[in-house]
Amino acid sequence: MIILSKLNNYEEFLIVVIIGFPYFNSKCKDMNKILKTFVIFCLIISQSALIKAQKHIFSQKQLIANGRVWDVAFEDLNNDCSSDLVVANWFKPPTIYYNNSNGDFDSFKSLPCYEAKDSSYRCHGIGINDFNNDKNPDIFVVFNGINNFIYLSDEDEYILTDTVNTNNSDGLNISLGDIDNDNDIDAIVANYKQLAMLWVNDGEGKFAKSDFEFGSSKIINSTALGDINNDGNLDIICSIYRGVIIWLNKGDGTFEKRDQSITYDKGYGVVELADMDNDDDLDIIFSNNDLGASIWINDGKGMFSEIEQKLPKSVHLAIGDLDLNGYADVVCGNSVWLNNGNLQFIQHEEFEIEGRIFGLWLNDIDNDGDLDLFCSTSIIENALTLMKNTTNAH
């Protein structure tokens, strides 16, 4: 008996079960051969359909920029209901790439900037938000070895209005949020060879360095902001060498270190916050280049327990619902892991990457309702590429 079944998301019929076939005696050898041939044919068709059903989520790579891209931020900067890019490129000034609404970038604009002594621009991190409460997106650019810049929106232009004096610290990346609950956006900048810095906004887009010290001699590779204990305040999660440190916000812009810290014998990576188990609190995802990425589940009060499964070794990752099943998935290095809803992550695909990965970001860049993937690498000629999500392309 042959049973036919139509898959939910595909326009073909798939043979899913072949159970038995009539018994024929020795006088029916020809018919027996025909049936055996037919069964083999059905199995081949079935296998082919299954492979087709498991098609890759991400399409072929599309080149966006060359150079050395360290960070990308997304925002609709020209009010056309499409996400534009601001790119931090070591060899170029911070640059806006304007989206033509379908994920192609046919125009760009470099922001005013000065060139460093070694003929580079040292642009390393990008943050976008409304810093002066005029309901327009502004841009905070983190530089490595020179001071940071604030660009405020003025109609269709971005004006360099302030320099954040960091004593030429080696900036890495930035996290944004209202840390002191005064209804403006503050910034945390992670630095290489120095401690992270908390910058407090005066409400008009001018930033002053907070007196708060992160209290660790270890270098902070990245930070994530989120309310992990559901008290209404943004807490700070810091990734360091061999682990993660948690700072709980007291509500006034000061913090206390959580007794629980996440530690490993070796390795470093970045930290992300996301609700991985759909229980309305933020969990911790920590990449590790030596031991593999780990997922720590929040009990709702800011205490975490690690799940057994490890994802691949990688420094960089990105998190979002890739297959539109309502659960957060993970891009870990060059592999895609889908969340089945039971905190089990199934590897779905790998994509080819030349060189080392320098960053991964997700955004619905073509406005089709699914998350597309941006990847930066060490290959200067192929520094930033886009792989569009095909989930909604059927």
Side-chain angles (χ1 to χ4, degrees):
M1 179 173 63
I2 299 172
I3 300 175
L4 298 178
S5 174
K6 187 176 182 182
L7 297 179
N8 290 333
N9 296 321
Y10 299 92
E11 296 300 324
E12 67 253 324
F13 285 93
L14 170 64
I15 300 173
V16 293
V17 182
I18 301 177
I19 49 175
F21 52 86
Y23 172 79
F24 292 91
N25 59 32
S26 58
K27 295 182 180 180
C28 301
K29 291 181 179 179
D30 290 341
M31 181 60 71
N32 219 1
K33 289 180 180 179
I34 293 173
L35 284 172
K36 285 181 178 179
T37 302
F38 179 68
V39 167
I40 292 171
F41 171 77
C42 289
L43 288 171
I44 293 172
I45 295 298
S46 175
Q47 185 178 23
S48 174
L50 281 170
I51 292 172
K52 187 174 182 180
Q54 295 295 322
K55 65 182 293 185
H56 283 189
I57 288 177
F58 294 114
S59 63
Q60 295 297 314
K61 293 188 286 290
Q62 170 186 339
L63 178 64
I64 303 298
N66 55 23
R68 175 131 312 157
V69 173
W70 292 112
D71 199 9
V72 173
F74 304 91
E75 185 59 62
D76 179 9
L77 299 177
N78 54 359
N79 296 314
D80 65 351
C81 300
S82 298
S83 293
D84 306 303
L85 306 183
V86 182
V87 175
N89 193 324
W90 187 266
F91 297 121
K92 297 179 181 180
T95 303
I96 301 172
Y97 290 76
Y98 290 104
N99 186 356
N100 67 2
S101 79
N102 63 2
D104 295 322
F105 302 90
D106 49 16
S107 64
F108 62 90
K109 178 188 295 183
S110 297
L111 299 177
C113 180
Y114 55 77
E115 186 175 334
K117 293 180 180 179
D118 59 358
S119 299
S120 68
Y121 289 88
R122 296 178 173 269
C123 188
H124 217 285
I126 299 287
I128 304 176
N129 212 309
D130 178 11
F131 299 133
N132 58 351
N133 291 316
D134 67 351
K135 303 187 185 306
N136 294 310
D138 309 305
I139 301 172
F140 192 126
V141 181
V142 174
F143 291 90
N144 189 281
I146 55 180
N147 292 326
N148 300 330
F149 287 173
I150 306 296
Y151 299 86
L152 296 184
S153 174
D154 183 9
E155 296 182 352
D156 293 331
E157 299 295 327
Y158 282 87
I159 310 300
L160 175 56
T161 59
D162 195 18
T163 299
V164 179
N165 187 357
T166 63
N167 294 320
N168 297 326
S169 63
D170 293 325
L172 292 177
N173 48 63
I174 184 171
S175 297
L176 298 174
D178 184 5
I179 292 172
D180 52 2
N181 292 330
D182 64 349
N183 298 314
D184 57 37
I185 299 300
D186 310 302
I188 296 177
V189 176
N191 301 295
Y192 179 66
K193 296 181 180 178
Q194 298 101 348
L195 295 178
M197 298 179 183
L198 170 57
W199 295 91
V200 178
N201 189 350
D202 68 355
E204 297 181 357
K206 292 186 178 296
F207 291 82
K209 186 176 180 298
S210 168
D211 293 332
F212 172 71
E213 297 287 346
F214 283 87
S216 172
S217 61
K218 296 181 178 180
I219 304 304
I220 294 174
N221 297 312
S222 72
T223 59
L225 289 176
D227 180 11
I228 64 169
N229 56 352
N230 292 314
D231 65 351
N233 302 313
L234 290 178
D235 308 303
I236 305 174
I237 316 300
C238 303
S239 70
I240 59 174
Y241 178 61
R242 298 192 299 183
V244 171
I245 296 175
I246 300 169
W247 293 90
L248 296 181
N249 191 341
K250 296 180 182 179
D252 57 359
T254 62
F255 300 83
E256 63 179 1
K257 187 177 178 181
R258 167 52 63 85
D259 291 337
Q260 181 188 24
S261 59
I262 297 170
T263 59
Y264 294 96
D265 293 333
K266 58 183 178 178
Y268 68 92
V270 298
V271 65
E272 299 282 354
L273 291 173
D275 185 3
M276 305 302 292
D277 53 357
N278 285 12
D279 64 348
D280 298 320
D281 55 35
L282 293 173
D283 308 305
I284 292 175
I285 306 90
F286 175 58
S287 65
N288 188 306
N289 67 322
D290 275 317
L291 301 177
S294 58
I295 297 172
W296 292 74
I297 299 302
N298 192 341
D299 67 356
K301 300 178 181 179
M303 297 298 292
F304 297 86
S305 57
E306 184 180 10
I307 70 170
E308 183 176 351
Q309 182 178 6
K310 292 275 194 189
L311 299 184
K313 299 175 183 178
S314 175
V315 174
H316 298 284
L317 49 78
I319 300 171
D321 182 6
L322 302 176
D323 56 354
L324 303 180
N325 71 341
Y327 293 95
D329 309 305
V330 182
V331 182
C332 190
N334 69 328
S335 59
V336 176
W337 295 78
L338 299 183
N339 186 346
N340 69 1
N342 296 315
L343 286 177
Q344 295 174 337
F345 294 83
I346 312 302
Q347 184 174 357
H348 186 270
E349 66 194 76
E350 289 186 354
F351 47 88
E352 293 184 3
I353 290 293
E354 295 182 67
R356 293 167 49 209
I357 293 177
F358 283 166
L360 297 165
W361 303 270
L362 292 169
N363 183 273
D364 181 11
I365 204 67
D366 52 3
N367 290 331
D368 67 347
D370 52 35
L371 293 172
D372 309 300
L373 177 65
F374 288 80
C375 177
S376 69
T377 73
S378 58
I379 305 300
I380 290 177
E381 297 79 14
N382 207 28
L384 181 66
T385 55
L386 164 63
M387 288 172 274
K388 291 183 179 178
N389 190 328
T390 63
T391 298
N392 267 341
H394 305 299

